[in-house]
Structures are given as C-alpha cells and as structure tokens.
Amino acid sequence: MDGATLLDTATVDRRHLLPRHPVHPGDRCARPPRVAPPHRRPRDRRQPRHRPLGSTGESAYLSETEWDAVCETTLGAVAGRVPTVVGVAHYSTEGTVRRARVAARHGATAIMVLPQVYWKLTDAELARHFAAVADASDLPVMLYNNPGTSGVDLPPETVVALARQIPNLTMVKESSGDATRFRAIRELSDGALSVYNGSNPLALEAFRAGAVGWCTAAPCLAPRWCLELYAAATDGDQERADAVLAELLPFLRFIVGYGLPRAIKAGLGIRGRTVGRPRPPLLPLPEAQVAELRRMLERLDTHPIPDQAEARAAGQPA
C-alpha cells in the first residue's frame, strides 16, 4: 500500500495513505454496529484509507461475535472503495488466524498483526506466530510494533528478519516512539518494507525520517489539519509543515496521553456523534479533560491553517 494517512482504520502497500481509525459503540451489541459510509470522493494519493479494529477501536475488549460484526459491517460499508487494513490481533495464534480469515472473507485489503501476548515470546515463537497468520490468507500483512500496549518491542533487526521469512509481510506500523527506526527499517530491508508511523507526536519527524504514511486516529476529530500536515510534509514544504504541526501538536499529545479510546470517544461526543462509553475496564475521559479537549477542538476549528506565505513569514527572524 502506498503511503498516506490511515485513519485508524487501514493500510495496504502503495505509499501515500492517511488511515482512519473507526471506533465501536461503547455498549455491547445485540446487532451489528452502524458504520457510517465512507466519503465518496475521487481516489487520490491523499485520500484516507481505513484501518478498523486496532487500539482506538478497542478490539482487545470485544467478544468474537462483536469483532466479527465490526469487521463485516465496516468492510461492507467501505465496499472496496478505499483500501482497508483490518487489525486481527488476538492473544492466541489460533484466534489471530481465525480473525485473519474472517477479514479476508469479507474483503479486507490487508491485515495488521500486533504480537498481543501474556507470556514473553521467544524469537522462534514470534516467527511461528507471524508465519501462521500470514499463511492464513494471501493478503499483505502489516506488522504492528506497539510496545506501549503489547509489552513486546520488535526492534528493526527483528522486524526485517521476520519479513525475510514471510513474503507477504510487506508493511510495518512502528509505534515505539523512536524516530530512528523508520530509516533503520527501510535501510535494513533495502527499501522492501513500507514503514508507517503510529506515534502521533512524531508525525512530521517520522515523514522526515523515511515513513511513507501515518496511521492515526487524529482525523476522527481534526481531519483537515492532519491532511494539511501530510500534504505539506510529503510535498517538501518544510516551513508550512512546521507551522501546521506547531498548532496540531498539543492535540496530538493530548489524545495519546489520555488514551485514544477515551479521548476519541469524548471528542466525537463533542462533535455531536454519540458513540457510547469506552469498553470496561476503561472509563470515560474525566470532565476536566473533556473541557480541555473541547477548547483544543474549538481552536483548531476557528484557527486558519497556515498557508505557504504565512509559514515563511513566521519563520523569518524579527
């Protein structure tokens, strides 16, 4: 899949994606959740792709029936109009394989695999797990490294070694917060692996270090700013990219710092889109932080996005 913004929703291998991350309803579902249809805009390299059933989608807290319902409903709503990368992580290899097959059956473009573990896995166990999931379908695989949620850190050397054993492992979502890893993975793999950034505060630094896309839930609440940052970064307009990031960075740090499911669900409520409470054991965002998030979103809504002239003027010494 190319790079782009994946709205914590999805990715495939082409290099210009901004993925979107869907959220699921907070209460347990007796019927499949409603999923809004995707934007029907002409495809271009900056159109967001979708990546459902990841961290923001609270996939770790869903029953298998709920997981299947979200997967089927999301892919049915997207209907192939944009690439969709489905997160299939489960604590067991058997569960992850089952989810990979469900995603493939319903039309996923690719699958994303996080090593979600209880016992610390050996290198041989990790290799067997990823290989079994990759063999479950012919879909491209995105390896997801997020030590903050999984407790497992896969350094660039391990990622590239896995990719050499697994031909359809073609993408990496790198969320460790270490900006040096984007270039390291690209160089160690001789450019064979497409590396996406999953650490929101590193959005611009990651692009400058070789990331081809940005997997983020931020566009759920601030889509214009995220797309403008992506456009400026990938067009080489460094001054404008810096100016956009300066306005967006407090918001990006906030949603990560208070937890994506809490912050994004609260933000959607502020936006008038009721999506329910976070799934227990998570609690809703406290009222003081909801008020802070409201102020941030109001500022982003009313503050003009810097254009090239403004960005250059801001960069000039007084």
Side-chain angles (χ1 to χ4, degrees), residues 62-133:
L62 301 182
S63 70
E64 291 304 282
T65 299
E66 290 172 324
W67 190 96
D68 289 0
V70 173
C71 180
E72 180 179 0
T73 306
T74 302
L75 290 168
V78 172
R81 284 187 287 265
V82 294
T84 302
V85 179
V86 176
V88 299
H90 188 277
Y91 280 104
S92 73
T93 300
E94 180 182 10
T96 311
V97 164
R98 191 201 73 82
R99 290 180 171 188
R101 288 173 176 159
V102 172
R105 184 166 68 248
H106 290 301
T109 316
I111 55 174
M112 186 177 73
V113 186
L114 174 80
Q116 192 169 293
V117 303
Y118 179 81
W119 293 106
K120 181 176 175 61
L121 301 181
T122 67
D123 288 347
E125 288 165 341
L126 279 169
R128 186 176 64 172
H129 175 72
F130 278 102
V133 177

Side-chain angles (χ1 to χ4, degrees), residues 6 9 31 49 80 103 148 157 178 194 201 229 241 247 268 294:
L6 287 174
T9 326
R31 61 180 67 89
R49 277 55 169 170
E157 295 78 8
D178 181 354
S194 296
L229 177 60
E247 295 295 333
L268 289 171
R294 187 186 302 275

Side-chain angles (χ1 to χ4, degrees), residues 224-233 237-249 299-300 302-315:
R224 288 189 312 120
W225 284 88
C226 294
L227 288 169
E228 290 297 333
L229 177 60
Y230 172 75
D237 192 343
Q238 303 300 337
E239 290 172 326
R240 184 162 181 263
D242 286 331
V244 172
L245 181 64
E247 295 295 333
L248 189 59
L249 191 55
R299 174 173 172 77
L300 291 174
T302 58
H303 194 283
I305 295 175
D307 60 22
Q308 290 178 323
E310 291 171 335
R312 291 195 181 102

Side-chain angles (χ1 to χ4, degrees), residues 282-298:
L282 298 180
L283 291 170
L285 194 68
E287 286 302 317
Q289 280 68 53
V290 172
E292 184 179 355
L293 178 58
R294 187 186 302 275
R295 290 191 293 270
M296 286 184 176
L297 294 178
E298 288 173 350

